[in-house]
Amino acid sequence: MSALTVVILILYFVVDNFVVQRRAWLPECTPVYIQYFVKFFIIGITVLVVAVPEGLPLAVTISLAYSVKKMMKDNNLVRHLDACETMGNATAICSDKTGTLTMNRMTVVQAYVGNTHYRQIPSPDVFPPKVLDLIVNGISINSAYTSKILPPEKEGGLPRQVGNKTECALLGFVTDLKQDYQAVRNEIPEETLFKVYTFNSVRKSMSTVIRKPEGGFRMFSKGASEIMLRKCNRILDKEGETIPFKSEDRDDMVRNVIEPMASEGLRTICIAYRDFDDTEPMWDNENEILTELTCIMVVGIEDPVRPEVPDAIRKCKRAGITVRMVTGDNVNTARAIATKCGILTPGDNLLCLEGKEFNRLIRNEKGAVEQEKLDKVWPKLRVLARSSPTDKHTLVKGIIDSTVGEQRQVVAVTGDGTNDGPALKKADVGFAMGIAGTDVAKEASDIILTDDNFTSIVKAVMWGRNVYDSISKFLQFQLTVNVVAVIVAFTGACITQDSPLKAVQMLWVNLIMDTFASLALATEPPTDSLLRRHPYGRNKPLISRTMMKNILGHAVYQLTVVFVLVFAGEQLFDIDSGRKAPLHAPPSQHYTIVFNTFVLMQLFNEINCRKIHGEKNVFAGIYHNAIFCSVVLGTFFCQIVIVEFGGKPFSCTSLTLEQWLWCLFIGIGELLWGQVISAIPTESLKFLKEVGHGADEEEITKDAEGMEEIDLAEMELRRGQILWFRGLHRIQTQRSQSLVTGFLDQVSLLVIASSHKIKVVRVLHNFHKPRNELSIHQFMTQPEYNADNESPQTFQDDQEGDPESAPKVGD
């Protein structure tokens, strides 16, 4: 375009002077001719500078940096900038329960001891001394010695729980029974423990072996009640004597005790023991050791739902985001908590599965996950209970890779344990817990929740959508300025041999639409209205039909005004014409009015661009954005200074008050014209097309032929890179095409990259998402699974839903 402008200007000058007017080339006039050619070259460079929307990287960077800073106040520590924008398009959230949806302050509220179900914490007097001794020792010894109950920090506050929260609940139960667990630990120090079977997510239990003073060994165990009870063959009665515990008794206990507790949202933990008095067993054979136990009691532990979570879940549903709870708890407990949170509602035809049933539904006879089977399960799945880290990763990977539905899913995952690392890395956005999370989980994540609260995720969604909208607002404003400025410069230059907007004026306009507009439109604070619409999805064009309507509509208004002023302004204002002025003619009021009116129209159109979804009230919330107000007012003040005092450097001359008022009136007309445009239904404008469509799956698959097997997301990434480079190449090679077609084609290619999540920030980082690969071990895409196991084989011990602590050192 710029080259075409220069060629037309030179040809027009040569033909007009040396052909039409038949002037001879005089040697003494050569310096003047050269000055004309330099002037034409400057105009061409000006058109080039204005035509290329190079402000997009700045707008993206400012928007992301501003959002990241503000998200810190909302307890979101962003580790990867692009995760902020990606979160705005999230369609699914797979959340932990403990600490995220709940308060992570567990308390024993019910107990079943000696065939009696206590709905409240009983008095220690109701237990025989033998039973009380077994309860205290079974909890105090068979827990991590790092788990403690400390006095409250403030007078009148609750005691502090340090260490594993489930163990702290049990230790609090001992304290409620007026017993001292620390005295037991002092009598039996940690280094004297004979054997410790640390907790893992397969057996869902933990055991500790000690030597008895009279000889022999005693093993205390605790774990998930429905699993531990299957390993018990005896139980204590009211007198503390052991009696047989048959399968019928277990079924009755599950039906009358475990299920009622779980239905109230309580986590049920079984405390048991076993004596080895005859011969010392083979301690390495854990399966044989953990049998023939004697049940001491079953407790119900409550972890209250955070009061703000139900409202946050409702906001997610309204925003088109599906929340799924993945926990290691009993399925009844998980269902009750999910109902309290609002994830499940009565009458919904949704699934609540255990990990074992989940694997049975999605795996074939060889134990491999089949995507087709998984696609039949995950759309209705809302709760995955008794899940392992393998199950969590399988679910996340299956949802991301699924092609069912109108658009592919964008999945966010929360996790706190080391085993959550693979799922956090696989997710589009991984959230690690800042308080309870391990270092491995934090390194594998994109965002760290400093308060471990689910509501912070909802705020991250708001900021992500706000980033997307901010970039769209900036593009709507910039493309309008680009189209108008280029057409005015090109057309004016071709007709009058001079651009109505001079080079320095164009640079000032370019500064307005790049730097200042980036600051103003990329720093809009988020509002609740962002959560009243569904996610855009992975392939949503960045420039919608509504935006195209606004761009073309305001371009028509501005072009009409500018061309009327250029070709009839001297008559309207009764001033001298500035057209076809001599080479070094002083600035004219005519072209000063054109320049001033053009800038003021951009300022008021900047207010219009605050809304991109057809809203009529463009002033809504404008006073909450001090940066926007400062930029607009500051630009207006600078414009006054440039016009009144800019003089020859800015090709401006002073205007009268009447002329200023007319310029201001025409600029305000942008606001009125914006209301007219918003009143036109977008659906009626069939000729409008969305700009920046993503490549369809057939193109992606075609590009991937001959490549090694990779994820569909990676195929999209590579396709986006190809399109980005094609876009840059086309910007350089297609400047000679027609104005609007060539320009919008360039912008389309730029936006395609954005629609494929190849944000400008990624380009600046060589398309590489920085992640720490050193702390996560290699992870199999298809983990080994044995259908005969209680649950799938895991990578390491899981901390989510565990009834006890982290591994202890005692062997």
Side-chain angles (χ1 to χ4, degrees), residues 264-275:
E264 297 179 28
L266 304 182
R267 173 182 292 181
T268 54
I269 302 295
C270 176
I271 309 294
Y273 78 101
R274 179 183 179 183
D275 287 331

Side-chain angles (χ1 to χ4, degrees), residues 119-220:
R119 298 285 178 175
Q120 297 179 347
I121 302 299
S123 170
D125 300 334
V126 303
F127 300 132
K130 178 182 178 181
V131 175
L132 186 61
D133 184 65
L134 287 173
I135 292 174
V136 174
N137 287 310
I139 294 175
S140 304
I141 297 173
N142 189 32
S143 297
Y145 279 34
T146 53
S147 297
K148 300 177 181 179
I149 302 294
L150 299 179
E153 294 182 348
K154 298 181 180 179
E155 186 177 354
L158 296 174
R160 287 182 293 156
Q161 295 182 343
V162 178
N164 183 272
K165 300 299 182 179
T166 305
E167 290 184 339
C168 288
L170 295 173
L171 295 175
F173 178 66
V174 172
T175 304
D176 292 338
L177 294 177
K178 313 300 182 184
Q179 305 297 311
D180 186 5
Y181 68 87
Q182 190 59 47
V184 177
R185 291 181 172 181
N186 293 338
E187 184 178 348
I188 306 177
E190 187 174 9
E191 56 271 13
T192 63
L193 301 179
F194 181 78
K195 181 74 174 179
V196 175
Y197 297 97
T198 57
F199 170 84
N200 69 42
S201 55
V202 174
R203 63 172 183 267
K204 299 288 185 182
S205 65
M206 173 186 179
S207 302
T208 302
V209 181
I210 61 172
R211 292 181 183 273
K212 294 196 295 185
E214 64 274 15
F217 302 90
R218 171 167 290 178
M219 179 181 68
F220 291 106

Side-chain angles (χ1 to χ4, degrees), residues 373-423:
K373 291 185 175 181
L374 186 56
D375 287 342
K376 297 178 181 179
V377 175
W378 73 259
K380 290 188 176 182
L381 181 65
R382 293 296 180 271
V383 177
L384 184 59
R386 285 288 179 241
S387 65
S388 67
T390 310
D391 298 335
K392 190 173 186 178
H393 178 273
T394 301
L395 176 62
V396 173
K397 184 178 186 300
I399 296 176
I400 292 176
D401 294 344
S402 177
T403 56
V404 299
E406 297 180 357
Q407 61 185 20
R408 290 182 58 232
Q409 300 286 303
V410 179
V411 183
V413 173
T414 67
D416 56 3
T418 300
N419 287 330
D420 291 324

Side-chain angles (χ1 to χ4, degrees), residues 32 86 125 376 636 795:
V32 177
T86 304
D125 300 334
K376 297 178 181 179
F636 182 67
F795 311 101

